[in-house]
Amino acid sequence: MEFGPIWRALLRNKGGAILIALQIAVTMAIMVNSIAIMQERATNMQRPSGMDEANTLTFASISFAADADLRATYINDLEMLRNTPGVINAVGTNSFPLRGGGWSMGLQTEPGEDMGGVGAAIYFGDEHMIETFDVELIDGENFSPEQVVFLDPDNFRWEPYVIVTEALAKTLFPDEEGSVVGKTAYINQNDPVQIIGVIDQLQAPWQGWDDVEHALFSPVKRAEGFARYVVRTEPGMRDELLPQLEEMLASADKTRLIRGAQTFDEVREGAYLGDSAMIKILGFVITLLTIITGLGIVGLASFNVSRRTRQIGIRRALGATKPAIMRYFMLENFMISSVGVIVGGALAIGLNIFMVETFALTPMAWWVVPVAMIILWLVGQAAVAGPARRATRIAPSIATRSG
Amino acid sequence: MLKMTDVSKIYRTDTVETHALREFSLTVDEGEFVSVTGPSGSGKTTFLNIAGLLEEMTSGTYELDGRDISKLNDRERSRVRNEKIGFIFQSFNLIPELNIFDNVDVPLRYRGLNAAERKRRIEESLDMVGLASRLKHQPAQLSGGQQQRVAIARALAGEPRFLLADEPTGNLDTHMADSVLDLLSEINSNGVTIIMVTHELTLADRAKRNIFVRDGQVTDAAPEFLRAANG
């Protein structure tokens, strides 16, 4: 291999090579950090919400009649929904995972101010929540119908029982090795709530929240002008039932509107629209930069082939085979690319450290830098292949032409 | 050593057909120092290109060292150029980006010799042409005569069976030209066959045998106009 002569020749004519190496380095730094961001977003998007997403739908009921009996409507709606063939269960709630809006409160193990509360999303609902959300009760028990009350907006108080996610339980009682069922926590600083059950996993409504796995059920039915229903169907029935259920509720009470009918797939898509767009944009930027870098390499290699036409002829005259000429340009590009990816690797790591410290980004995975290096090496080799192949077609008789 | 029989070379474009060599026949024995002389356009360089396997002939037969060259593929032709032929060009044809050591090293690398063997040959050949102390110099730092000596060292380093020299003194002054011709004579006295293409009869006279080319064919004697042109 002609590493030494090629390196020394590059040092004597380094302008173009340095520019290309710099271009590769910048592309590498941007590519690596873009991949890290894309990977973080993609990982977030793949987190389970905890619900039976494939078979869950939701819609809202908005009553506009001044004298409407909202509690009767609420009870009637849920009875109709639960009795519809194909529906496993339904619940009225204030929110659900990935919705983007909802309630959160601080929970603490001791009453009083400044006791270091743990944030938790609040889901109001009755004893049908567990089955409707398809979460597993791993400890304790479900709400009994007697524990569930209608919310009184004029005299709100926290009901004394809660069911919490396992993640919330572990954060609240980190030293507890046994069951947390029966333990008391304090909501709103001083209102005691007893943990009667623990469910395996359920996300908060805000997918970007640090405490996204902290959620609790509170045994409260909200029969207000705006009611949100979540319905879980038999497998494969969701899409068929969605318009039917919407029509059924709309027909049952003409003094309200049914709005926001969505499958949970649509909820998820909406929740991660920004992340999805970010992944596409960064993917486009990486592709564009890589293409521009590839074109730069093609340009430099083509220029070098033209500039070295006579030199190539001399090499051929002195015994270089066509593959040897090809190898020369490929190797030269490999060396330029190597400088670029090594500098780019250092730049990428530096930029990632800066982004982690400044924007609380997750540090990139170890494999991103070597993968980006391999990609850029391959792009370089692919880009130089065309000009290098042209170089092999230069005749050795060029060497005897005057000039 | 070298035997060309009825070799023709025709350059074709869409409208023009140029016969650069016509039934060109020549035999050169091992150890000879032959000059090939002729006016511009006579076919000297075409002969050199075909003899040096830099171009393919249109018809005829060419045997080099007893081997039929016309049957060889590109890779084999490259190997023959590398192992059996040393080239000395009018414009030296050193690679400007490489230092003297690396320039001499170029054909040796293509032969696949190991580093120690290459280094030995490079130092020996540069020592023979009196430039052993200039290993790290760039071509641009040397005079024309010195550059041609480096080119000769490059040709010799491969220990070729014969040297093809294309107007080797064409870009040199008289003093340097004499020096280079003295060197070629010395190399020939060591058993290397040399074919030197030149348009100057005075230089051709330094060879042991003179071949005259006109209109792509070997002629018996130097044409009068060529003698007149050379004074």
Side-chain angles (χ1 to χ4, degrees), chain A residues 152-201:
Chain A
D152 181 358
D154 300 325
N155 187 23
F156 179 80
R157 65 181 179 85
W158 287 100
E159 291 307 307
Y161 308 108
V162 291
I163 296 171
V164 300
T165 59
E166 187 178 20
L168 176 57
K170 283 185 174 167
T171 308
L172 271 175
F173 303 101
D175 300 326
E176 180 56 60
E177 293 182 358
S179 174
V180 299
V181 171
K183 286 188 174 294
T184 299
Y186 295 86
I187 196 166
N188 197 26
Q189 294 186 341
N190 292 308
D191 297 337
V193 288
Q194 187 186 6
I195 297 172
I196 65 163
V198 178
I199 55 173
D200 57 346
Q201 189 247 331

Side-chain angles (χ1 to χ4, degrees), chain A residues 44 47 205-212 272:
Chain A
N44 285 348
R47 291 176 307 185
W206 316 279
Q207 75 277 8
W209 193 32
D210 288 344
D211 296 326
V212 69
Y272 286 111

